[in-house]
């Protein structure tokens, strides 16, 4: 029943599962994540959330987009920022272009209002990465970035930042310090324990508020989930 | 990791990599079969028995136990003499064998049951007929040589090795080889499986994360169903 429907889905649908199939298992899992984010820090107002991972290809952008969507589905005003200025992909997910974006704001070439793009998902706006700058780390570390975050906080309830991987690049580390909370994506069965430990220590050093880990590509054992949610 | 190697973990590893274990076991059995049938040359065995016994017991005053005792003590000496180059060189000469006494010595096994006056001479050879010939020749030459060497004549050939119409090789022992191969293959596979399990340090379950003292905020299953190619659903970052 499931596989039949999935095969007809486009690239977008697979990535934005929370839009294309709200009753699917992953959609339900994203709603759980949404609830856990809120409950994990009852004493803190977590509004800027950084999504990062140890290495590339663990599903940061996909998770950032879907988490943004589930918050929007709850009625929140959501902004997703592509803070990965080295390999931006967020605009692809939402079928938008990447002419100007975060890098334009940080280099003071554009204003915030100019770079915000509305998406086809209600309640979700995005800021793409913008042109790839030669000095992404410096831009993210700048005071402009801090004031940018303060500015968007006035406009949106939840701001999700899609960051580069933690290991080998300091971008995510810098950003994690500026954000209220950090989510670490772990690609199950691919990333080793040592890499995750290293990522954790990197985040600890930058005094990041680690909200928790999201295990991506998680293999569910047994059919409990399908029994509860699989039927429509 | 300080996980203990328990029966459960072994069984778990076994179930997880049963195919690898099965394949390795079958493979090693196959190799053993191949070696036993095609590479190892079959070895045949022939056995001659000689009896160490004084012919002149009845003529002597002291009969029985003491003489037998002497013979028994001699047997140890005989065992060495049979395998000595003195005898073997002659055997080679008589049979015109293309070998050396040292090599021939390795083909011969001399044994006697405890407190028995019977000495078994076992000869192994690639050729069954030659094995029989060597065994018998050794016995004969030994019988001839002993009066010269020891000044006693107490050797009788009890049993002469016979040529068999359908000689059965004693080596290689195919069944034994197979059993050894199966056990070796299985243990190797288990070690390998356990090793693979140990070196796989990737994170797979929520427990793995909790060990690193990180909170798990959620899990996301494969968005794609397993029927489709895995690589295509990798989230781009």
């Amino acid at each position: 029943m499931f596989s039949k429907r999935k095969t007809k889905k486009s690239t977008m649908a697979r990535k934005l599962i929370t839009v294309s199939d709200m009753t699917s298992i992953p959609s339900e899992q994203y709603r759980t994540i949404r609830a856990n984010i809120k409950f994990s820090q009852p004493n803190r107002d977590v509004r800027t959330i950084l999504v990062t991972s140890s290495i590339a290809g663990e599903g940061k952008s996909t998770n950032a987009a879907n988490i943004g969507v589930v918050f929007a589905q709850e009625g929140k005003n959501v902004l997703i920022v592509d803070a990965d200025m080295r390999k931006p992909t967020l605009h692809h997910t939402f079928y938008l272009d990447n002419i100007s974006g975060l890098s334009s704001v940080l280099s003071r070439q554009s204003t915030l209002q100019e770079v915000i793009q509305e998406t086809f998902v209600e309640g979700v706006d995005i800021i793409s990465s913008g042109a790839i700058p030669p000095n992404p780390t410096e831009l993210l570390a700048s005071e402009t970035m801090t004031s940018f975050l303060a500015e968007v906080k006035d406009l949106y309830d939840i701001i999700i930042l899609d960051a580069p991987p933690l290991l080998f690049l300091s971008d995510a580390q810098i950003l994690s310090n500026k954000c209220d909370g950090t989510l670490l994506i772990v690609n199950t069965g691919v990333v080793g324990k040592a890499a995750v430990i290293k990522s954790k220590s990197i985040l600890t050093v930058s005094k990041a508020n680690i909200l928790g880990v999201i295990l991506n590509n998680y293999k569910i054992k047994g059919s409990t989930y399908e029994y509860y949610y699989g039927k429509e | 990791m300080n996980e203990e190697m328990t029966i459960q973990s072994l069984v778990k590893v076994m179930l997880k990599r049963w195919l690898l274990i099965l394949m390795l076991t079958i493979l090693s059995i196959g190799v053993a079969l191949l070696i036993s049938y095609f590479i190892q040359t079959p070895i045949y065995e022939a056995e001659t028995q000689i009896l160490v016994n004084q012919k002149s017991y009845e003529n002597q005053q002291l009969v029985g136990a003491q003489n037998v005792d002497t013979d028994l003590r001699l047997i140890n000496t005989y065992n060495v003499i049979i395998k000595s180059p003195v005898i073997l060189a002659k055997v080679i000469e008589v049979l015109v064998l293309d070998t050396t006494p040292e090599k021939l010595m390795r083909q011969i096994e001399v044994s006697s049951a405890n407190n028995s006056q019977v000495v078994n001479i076992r000869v192994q050879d690639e050729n069954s007929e030659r094995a029989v010939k060597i065994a018998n020749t050794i016995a004969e030459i030994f019988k001839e040589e002993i009066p010269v060497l020891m000044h006693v004549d107490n050797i009788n050939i009890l049993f002469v090795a016979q040529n068999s119409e359908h000689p059965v090789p004693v080596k290689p022992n195919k069944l034994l080889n197979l059993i050894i191969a199966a056990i070796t293959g299985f243990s190797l596979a288990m070690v390998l499986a356990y090793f693979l399990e140990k070196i796989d340090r990737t994170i797979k379950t929520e427990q793995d994360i909790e060990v690193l003292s990180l909170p798990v905020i959620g899990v996301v299953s494969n968005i794609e169903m397993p029927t489709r190619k895995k690589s295509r659903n990798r989230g781009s970052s």
Side-chain angles (χ1 to χ4, degrees):
Chain A
M1 175 189 76
F2 255 108
S3 50
K4 217 180 196 174
R5 285 173 49 233
K6 296 287 168 188
T7 44
K8 287 176 188 160
K9 294 262 162 71
S10 65
T11 319
M12 180 280 287
R14 277 209 306 281
K15 284 189 173 171
L16 281 179
I17 185 82
T18 46
V19 178
S20 61
D21 190 354
M22 283 179 69
T23 60
S24 66
I25 296 169
S27 299
E28 188 54 45
Q29 290 166 332
Y30 278 116
R31 284 193 284 274
T32 309
I33 290 167
R34 177 183 66 193
N36 285 345
I37 289 171
K38 283 190 282 187
F39 291 131
S40 67
Q41 312 274 323
N43 302 323
R44 277 172 90 152
D45 187 20
V46 177
R47 287 176 54 205
T48 50
I49 299 167
L50 185 78
V51 178
T52 186
S53 67
S54 307
I55 55 170
E58 292 197 71
K60 289 179 292 294
S61 298
T62 310
N63 275 283
N66 279 298
I67 292 167
V69 169
V70 288
F71 269 111
Q73 282 166 352
E74 204 190 34
K76 292 273 188 340
N77 206 3
V78 177
L79 175 73
I80 308 173
V81 181
D82 196 346
D84 187 346
M85 288 192 271
R86 298 165 196 269
K87 236 174 97 188
T89 50
L90 192 69
H91 53 284
H92 294 308
T93 311
F94 288 98
Y95 292 110
L96 294 166
D97 51 36
N98 185 24
I99 297 159
S100 60
L102 184 63
S103 63
S104 331
V105 178
L106 296 182
S107 57
R108 299 171 197 275
Q109 285 166 353
S110 313
T111 62
L112 181 60
Q113 269 66 31
E114 281 171 347
V115 294
I116 291 174
Q117 303 187 65
E118 274 183 36
T119 67
F120 60 89
V121 184
E122 207 192 324
V124 178
D125 286 354
I126 75 159
I127 292 176
S128 65
S129 74
I132 296 173
N135 53 344
T137 314
E138 281 76 21
L139 286 182
L140 294 173
S142 66
E143 268 309 303
T144 326
M145 184 69 200
T146 312
S147 56
F148 164 82
L149 284 173
E151 232 177 305
V152 289
K153 262 186 170 178
D154 292 335
L155 300 168
Y156 294 92
D157 302 319
I158 299 284
I159 299 103
I160 292 166
L161 286 92
D162 180 16
L166 273 166
L167 304 181
F168 319 118
L169 290 173
S170 55
D171 296 19
Q173 187 183 6
I174 290 159
L175 282 174
S176 68
N177 180 259
K178 293 179 188 282
C179 290
D180 300 336
T182 300
L183 288 174
L184 186 63
I185 311 292
V186 171
N187 200 357
T188 322
V190 175
V191 178
K193 277 179 187 150
V196 178
I197 292 171
K198 185 92 176 86
S199 299
K200 188 196 172 185
S201 69
I202 288 172
L203 290 174
T204 312
V205 164
S206 63
K207 294 189 174 59
N209 174 30
I210 305 173
L211 297 174
V213 172
I214 293 176
L215 295 173
N216 201 22
N217 292 327
Y218 192 76
K219 280 158 202 78
I220 300 173
K221 287 182 187 115
S223 54
T224 331
Y225 264 86
E226 260 177 68
Y227 174 72
Y228 275 108
Y229 305 112
K231 312 255 157 61
E232 284 179 26
Chain B
M1 277 193 287
N2 43 16
E3 267 175 66
E4 271 178 54
M5 193 167 140
T6 57
I7 301 288
Q8 282 104 314
S9 72
L10 268 180
V11 170
K12 221 171 93 187
V13 167
M14 233 172 95
L15 290 176
K16 195 172 154 193
R17 309 210 188 250
W18 65 272
L19 196 68
L20 173 94
I21 293 167
L22 192 73
M23 296 288 269
L24 257 176
T25 311
I26 290 171
L27 188 81
S28 55
I29 289 175
V31 169
L33 275 177
L34 212 75
I35 290 172
S36 315
Y37 277 94
F38 297 104
I39 295 171
Q40 286 189 331
T41 26
I43 303 283
Y44 299 89
E45 194 179 74
E47 189 183 77
T48 307
Q49 289 183 329
I50 54 173
L51 180 67
V52 181
N53 194 12
Q54 299 279 5
K55 275 177 186 163
S56 49
Y57 278 165
E58 56 269 36
N59 299 341
Q60 291 187 357
Q61 295 266 305
L62 295 162
V63 250
Q66 204 180 346
N67 275 316
V68 175
D69 201 47
T70 319
D71 287 334
L72 285 177
R73 273 186 220 160
L74 280 175
I75 284 174
N76 288 329
T77 320
Y78 290 170
N79 287 353
V80 180
I81 293 173
I82 291 171
K83 292 178 88 172
S84 76
V86 180
I87 303 289
L88 296 185
K90 282 219 169 109
V91 173
I92 292 168
E93 206 182 292
V94 169
L95 292 176
V96 200
L97 295 173
D98 180 24
T99 181
T100 61
E102 285 78 30
K103 278 189 197 159
L104 190 61
M105 194 161 80
R106 270 176 244 132
Q107 291 174 247
I108 299 162
E109 194 194 320
V110 181
S111 64
S112 56
N114 201 20
N115 281 337
S116 151
Q117 286 170 276
V118 178
V119 177
N120 300 314
I121 304 170
R122 237 180 252 124
V123 177
Q124 296 191 338
D125 198 274
E126 290 164 28
N127 185 319
S128 67
E129 283 174 29
R130 196 163 62 203
V132 169
K133 264 192 222 162
I134 294 170
N136 291 338
T137 315
I138 289 170
E140 273 164 34
I141 288 174
F142 181 64
K143 188 177 186 300
E144 285 165 23
E145 289 295 312
I146 275 301
V148 180
L149 291 166
M150 309 268 296
H151 306 291
V152 278
D153 180 18
N154 58 354
I155 305 295
N156 293 302
I157 296 176
L158 192 66
F159 175 78
V160 179
Q162 310 277 317
N163 276 318
S164 157
E165 271 184 51
H166 302 286
V168 181
V170 289
K171 272 185 199 168
N173 189 336
K174 279 157 197 147
L175 188 69
L176 187 71
N177 280 2
L178 287 196
I179 292 168
I180 291 170
I183 293 170
T184 316
F186 180 77
S187 349
L188 263 179
M190 280 300 289
V191 169
L192 186 67
Y194 206 78
F195 179 70
L196 285 176
E197 188 69 20
K198 280 282 163 196
I199 60 164
D200 184 2
R201 304 269 282 146
T202 61
I203 282 163
K204 285 192 205 63
T205 62
E206 291 184 49
Q207 282 78 38
D208 292 338
I209 283 292
E210 277 157 13
V211 168
L212 310 178
S213 62
L214 282 167
V216 177
I217 212 120
V219 299
V220 178
S221 314
N222 255 332
I223 292 176
E224 240 175 331
M225 289 298 120
T227 44
R228 307 206 46 198
K229 273 182 196 156
K230 223 177 167 184
S231 57
R232 290 184 55 191
N233 87 329
R234 282 282 157 76
S236 36
S237 46

